[in-house]
Amino acid sequence: MTYKTGTWGIQAKERNKTRDWESYYLANKEKCIARAKKWQALNPDKRRQYDRNYLLKALGWKKELFQAMGDKCVKCGFSDVHALQVDHVNGNGRNERKRVGYRYWLKVLDSFKKNENQYQLLCANCNVIKQQENNERNQYTVRKGGDN
């Protein structure tokens, strides 16, 4: 009987279902970060390979998302994927990207498949115009009087 297919594997799966990893991480953030940094320092090749594999997955999620969203800007119809961006309908995208982290594209794709209508596909120009009109870029505005 092996670990993954035998009794131990089943028990491990059951334990993992009951654990709340997010709350554990938040309660032990420094410890988790230190452990991750130590592993990365001891395994640089594995870390590079992990990053490469994740990048390929993320690009696949992004491509699938763009295709599901119609591969064009919902405002002007521009269709060059190099200039298309996922926009948060209600703003606050920066905070969400920071909170979700490396699984951002997967979260957006899942949300879109569930028809939650939180995201739309905009070209870069329409996205900046929307941000200006809704005052979503206020932290980037230049102060009057040269007090930058």
Side-chain angles (χ1 to χ4, degrees), residues 59-122:
L59 290 174
W61 294 330
K62 184 177 178 182
K63 184 177 180 181
E64 184 180 346
L65 175 66
F66 279 22
Q67 288 173 348
M69 294 177 108
D71 272 334
K72 64 180 180 178
C73 176
V74 296
K75 291 198 176 205
C76 70
F78 188 74
S79 62
D80 185 354
V81 295
H82 296 98
L84 292 177
Q85 302 172 345
V86 174
D87 174 60
H88 294 72
V89 174
N90 300 320
N92 205 19
R94 172 178 295 149
N95 293 338
E96 183 178 1
R97 281 190 305 274
K98 284 182 179 180
R99 184 176 51 78
V100 174
Y102 69 95
R103 299 188 67 82
Y104 173 73
W105 290 112
L106 186 59
K107 183 199 179 303
V108 174
L109 182 60
D110 288 342
S111 174
F112 186 77
K113 286 180 178 178
K114 292 177 185 174
N115 291 324
E116 293 177 351
N117 297 324
Q118 296 179 21
Y119 307 96
Q120 62 186 349
L121 200 57
L122 295 177

Side-chain angles (χ1 to χ4, degrees), residues 9 21 23 26 30 32 34-35 49 75 86 98 101 117:
W21 292 108
S23 62
L26 292 174
E30 293 81 21
C32 292
R35 185 173 48 225
Q49 186 62 41
K75 291 198 176 205
V86 174
K98 284 182 179 180
N117 297 324

Side-chain angles (χ1 to χ4, degrees), residues 18-54:
T18 60
R19 289 183 180 162
D20 184 4
W21 292 108
E22 186 175 348
S23 62
Y24 174 82
Y25 175 78
L26 292 174
N28 302 290
K29 193 171 185 177
E30 293 81 21
K31 182 179 172 182
C32 292
I33 291 172
R35 185 173 48 225
K37 285 184 179 183
K38 181 180 177 184
W39 182 86
Q40 291 171 13
L42 294 173
N43 301 289
D45 293 335
K46 287 183 181 179
R47 175 60 190 200
R48 259 191 303 278
Q49 186 62 41
Y50 174 81
D51 288 344
R52 270 190 226 111
N53 291 342
Y54 173 73

